[in-house]
Amino acid sequence: MVDTLIQSKGFHLASKCRCCTLPSSESADHLFISSDLAISIWSWLRNLFKCRNRLYNLQDLLKFWIDKSSSASQVGVMKLLAFNIGLWEIWRIRCSATYGAEQSITLPHQKFFIFNSLRIINLRTTSFAPHEEASDSYLVLLSDLNIMLKPPKIHRPSFISWCPAPNGVTVNLARSRNKATVIIRNSKGGFILAKLLSLVVNSSLHFLSSTINAVISPVHSSDLILSQIQ
């Protein structure tokens, strides 16, 4: 718990940031953004990800490390991991300086910090399969970091089988998340209509009922008799 939070609870406390050379009041913003330790940690991680702009406040910090990081991309996940590593390292060193025997800050060696951060990132992304292609800038970044590019996960097509109905039409459904493909065929398998549905659903049962309701309308409007849904 940082000093200003303790003070807000009614405790009288002379605040001093243990992560700065010159005395400063310790707040969460100061500790994680503008303390000597935070400036060094974020500078090392920014350079690692080729970000040349300094992050001056919490909004800038969150925008770069979280808002601009897609959890579907390899580099996006790496940035999210790096952000957590930075937060943890600042808090760990702060607590060590506050409650440890030496009561003073000890900055990690830059090369060791970068090496250890990349080691953790590599371990945590071993089984990760991205869902989107890496951009050209990300390809350059991965090459510079000597990290192997992970190919995006391949979404294999699903096949819709058709079983003839003795009369009327057959509706085939294929679902992927909140989207459904609907194909309507006659009793001989001839194509009548295809439709892509996007539905907001809370459960599989809700999805099925919403899809059936969406199918019934075009079937009835075409004066067709719905025989079965597959």
Side-chain angles (χ1 to χ4, degrees):
M1 186 180 293
V2 295
D3 292 348
T4 52
L5 187 56
I6 296 175
Q7 291 171 340
S8 69
K9 303 298 182 182
F11 295 94
H12 297 286
L13 177 70
S15 178
K16 177 185 177 182
C17 179
R18 287 83 171 169
C19 299
C20 287
T21 304
L22 299 177
S24 301
S25 178
E26 185 194 67
S27 65
D29 284 347
H30 172 78
L31 174 64
F32 291 106
I33 303 295
S34 55
S35 66
D36 294 347
L37 173 62
I39 290 173
S40 295
I41 294 293
W42 296 127
S43 174
W44 297 341
L45 290 174
R46 285 200 323 274
N47 291 336
L48 188 66
F49 286 90
K50 310 300 181 185
C51 174
R52 305 306 178 191
N53 299 326
R54 183 178 171 182
L55 311 176
Y56 290 96
N57 51 50
L58 185 59
Q59 184 178 1
D60 290 341
L61 188 74
L62 296 177
K63 184 176 181 180
F64 175 73
W65 291 107
I66 296 182
D67 293 351
K68 292 187 176 181
S69 301
S70 170
S71 59
S73 74
Q74 182 178 355
V75 175
V77 170
M78 289 169 58
K79 286 175 63 178
L80 292 171
L81 288 169
F83 176 65
N84 282 278
I85 291 170
L87 290 178
W88 167 250
E89 194 68 10
I90 292 169
W91 185 248
R92 182 189 67 79
I93 294 175
R94 179 264 181 192
C95 290
S96 178
T98 303
Y99 306 111
E102 296 183 4
Q103 297 285 304
S104 62
I105 182 176
T106 302
L107 274 174
H109 192 278
Q110 180 178 353
K111 289 185 177 180
F112 174 77
F113 173 77
I114 295 299
F115 172 81
N116 197 46
S117 298
L118 287 175
R119 182 183 64 82
I120 294 172
I121 289 172
N122 271 318
L123 286 173
R124 294 297 183 184
T125 56
T126 299
S127 59
F128 173 72
H131 290 268
E132 60 184 44
E133 295 277 357
S135 64
D136 291 341
S137 60
Y138 280 179
L139 289 174
V140 173
L141 176 62
L142 291 170
S143 177
D144 291 344
L145 296 177
N146 197 27
I147 293 179
M148 184 181 298
L149 171 68
K150 292 179 178 291
K153 185 177 180 180
I154 299 175
H155 296 279
R156 302 190 181 279
S158 58
F159 298 93
I160 302 176
S161 59
W162 174 78
C163 296
N167 51 51
V169 297
T170 297
V171 174
N172 289 114
L173 296 177
R175 175 186 176 183
S176 177
R177 298 184 181 178
N178 66 326
K179 295 184 183 297
T181 301
V182 177
I183 300 178
I184 302 177
R185 301 177 185 273
N186 61 27
S187 59
K188 295 182 179 180
F191 173 82
I192 298 176
L193 176 69
K195 192 173 183 180
L196 178 65
L197 304 175
S198 296
L199 303 170
V200 178
V201 296
N202 300 319
S203 64
S204 296
L205 184 60
H206 182 202
F207 181 90
L208 182 60
S209 62
S210 300
T211 305
I212 292 174
N213 289 332
V215 166
I216 289 175
S217 177
V219 170
H220 286 176
S221 63
S222 302
D223 294 328
L224 299 173
I225 298 174
L226 180 60
S227 179
Q228 62 180 352
I229 297 177
Q230 299 177 351

